[in-house]
């Protein structure tokens, strides 16, 4: 009898565990996070919130932004996380975001979140431009190490450079936006005309140009510091260059979709991404995170990195995104990587 009772108990407990698992609420999160990081965020969040399951939809920033805009009349996502703030500012302008101040928001650096209260989006980290310079390939071609953005427009670098396509890559767009803001539109386009002469290919990823440089496919890859740090750490013969004129940058951020039918769970996702725990995950890869005092010194990233960030109007970038990309496409699409 005791064995039967124990068996019944085991069966009931098993059924209860199965029911608890089945009752986990899925939250659909659109993201452009690097795949290296997604697992740690999901694990950390679900450990703290065992009744919620994150379901990712992942693509590059430009693709995710276009997808969200295309779904405006029938939104699918509950939350957006790890997507460029310039993209989220555009979604806010379209009335698609639910303003929300997550728990612990007052502990975050204010400059890295939306200035409105409550904020429409909340920053996770800053990511900025970097150049990966393959010293071995450069020596073979007799190429000097560039120090500035304008160095890259010199004829000696013809065919030696790859960079991200700004329509599909947030990194590509922050480069273009920064050049236009730093030098003004006339001089910014003039610079990109000269740079275009030296571009071998515009690639559909912010990471790919640095990976290509690390693998020796091209001597120079315009990328961003997360991927540059990872490629350097892998042992590739690259030097990281942070041009003296300043670095274009954007913010990976979190926002809640206004149309979510799971607002309580979505707010808990936003709360966790604003937490110190989440920022400690972020600090594994990013030199600047939203929670002060959490960031670590990363190999290859200069001590004055944060001071190199250019003055950047994310709202201007959002408002002018469509116009900028249309003009860029007319001028340079001919060297885009095949999709």
């Amino acid at each position: 009898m005791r064995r039967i009772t124990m068996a019944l108990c085991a069966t009931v407990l098993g059924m209860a565990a199965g029911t608890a698992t089945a009752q986990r609420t899925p939250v659909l999160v659109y993201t452009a996070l690097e795949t290296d990081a997604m697992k740690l965020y999901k694990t950390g969040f679900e450990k703290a919130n065992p009744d919620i399951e994150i379901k990712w939809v992942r693509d590059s920033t430009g693709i995710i932004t276009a997808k969200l805009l295309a779904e405006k009349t029938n939104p699918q996502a509950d939350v957006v996380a790890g997507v460029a703030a310039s993209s989220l500012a555009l979604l806010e302008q379209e009335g698609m975001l639910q303003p929300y101040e997550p728990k612990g928001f007052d502990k975050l650096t204010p400059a890295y979140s939306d200035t409105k209260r409550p904020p429409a989006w909340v920053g996770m980290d800053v990511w900025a431009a970097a150049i990966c310079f393959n010293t071995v390939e450069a020596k073979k071609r007799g190429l000097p190490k560039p120090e500035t953005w304008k160095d890259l427009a010199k004829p000696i670098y013809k065919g030696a450079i790859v960079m991200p396509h700004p329509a599909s890559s947030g990194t590509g767009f922050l480069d273009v936006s920064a050049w236009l803001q730093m030098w003004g539109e006339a001089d910014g386009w003039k610079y990109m005309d000269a740079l275009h002469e030296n571009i071998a290919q515009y690639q559909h990823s912010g990471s790919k140009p640095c990976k290509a440089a690390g693998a020796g496919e091209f001597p120079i890859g315009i990328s961003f510091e997360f991927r540059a740090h990872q490629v350097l750490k892998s042992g590739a013969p690259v030097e990281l260059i942070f041009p003296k004129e300043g670095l274009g940058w954007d913010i990976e951020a979190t926002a809640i979709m206004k149309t979510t039918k799971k607002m309580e769970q979505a707010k808990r996702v936003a709360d966790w991404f604003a937490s110190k725990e989440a920022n400690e995950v972020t600090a594994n890869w990013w030199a600047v995170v939203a929670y002060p005092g959490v960031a670590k010194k990363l190999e290859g990233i200069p001590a004055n990195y944060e001071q190199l960030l250019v003055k950047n109007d994310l709202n201007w970038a959002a408002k002018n995104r469509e116009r900028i990309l249309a003009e860029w496409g007319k001028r340079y699409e001919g060297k885009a990587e095949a999709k």
Side-chain angles (χ1 to χ4, degrees), residues 289-304:
V289 302
Y291 202 109
V294 169
K296 309 168 185 174
K297 176 72 177 78
L298 299 178
E299 182 184 1
I301 311 298
N304 69 336

Side-chain angles (χ1 to χ4, degrees), residues 266-284:
K267 286 180 177 179
R268 285 165 63 187
V269 173
D271 289 343
W272 188 83
F273 272 96
S275 70
K276 186 176 183 181
E277 181 186 353
N279 277 258
E280 286 171 344
V281 173
T282 306
N284 285 306

Side-chain angles (χ1 to χ4, degrees), residues 242-254:
F242 298 89
K244 295 175 181 177
E245 300 101 322
L247 310 177
W249 58 279
D250 210 323
I251 298 167
E252 283 193 316
T254 304

Side-chain angles (χ1 to χ4, degrees), residues 125-307:
D125 57 76
V126 173
W127 97 93
I131 297 170
C132 293
F133 180 68
N134 187 307
T135 54
V136 174
E137 290 303 310
K139 186 175 181 180
K140 287 179 186 175
R141 299 195 191 194
L143 299 178
K145 177 182 172 181
E147 301 288 346
T148 67
W149 291 118
K150 292 193 174 178
D151 281 348
L152 296 183
K154 294 176 179 177
I156 194 170
Y157 295 111
K158 190 173 182 65
I161 304 169
V162 285
M163 74 166 277
H165 192 300
S168 51
S169 163
T171 303
F173 184 71
L174 69 81
D175 288 324
V176 172
S177 173
W179 295 329
L180 294 175
Q181 291 186 68
M182 274 197 301
W183 297 318
E185 294 211 29
D187 286 343
W189 289 115
K190 185 177 178 182
Y191 168 71
M192 283 184 272
D193 287 343
L195 177 65
H196 179 67
E197 295 301 310
N198 295 341
I199 294 288
Q201 190 178 62
Y202 298 103
Q203 301 181 327
H204 296 292
S205 160
S207 291
K208 192 171 181 179
C210 190
K211 289 180 178 178
E217 296 171 27
F218 298 94
I220 298 170
I222 298 173
S223 188
F224 61 106
E225 94 286 357
F226 167 99
R227 186 53 59 198
H229 165 68
Q230 292 295 100
V231 170
L232 178 66
K233 193 176 174 182
S234 75
V238 296
E239 285 188 35
L240 309 191
I241 299 168
F242 298 89
K244 295 175 181 177
E245 300 101 322
L247 310 177
W249 58 279
D250 210 323
I251 298 167
E252 283 193 316
T254 304
I256 297 173
M257 297 299 289
K258 186 177 284 186
T259 50
T260 179
K261 294 179 175 63
K262 301 169 183 174
M263 188 61 73
E264 179 194 344
Q265 291 85 359
K267 286 180 177 179
R268 285 165 63 187
V269 173
D271 289 343
W272 188 83
F273 272 96
S275 70
K276 186 176 183 181
E277 181 186 353
N279 277 258
E280 286 171 344
V281 173
T282 306
N284 285 306
W285 300 283
W286 300 101
V288 179
V289 302
Y291 202 109
V294 169
K296 309 168 185 174
K297 176 72 177 78
L298 299 178
E299 182 184 1
I301 311 298
N304 69 336
Y305 170 75
E306 203 165 355
Q307 284 69 55

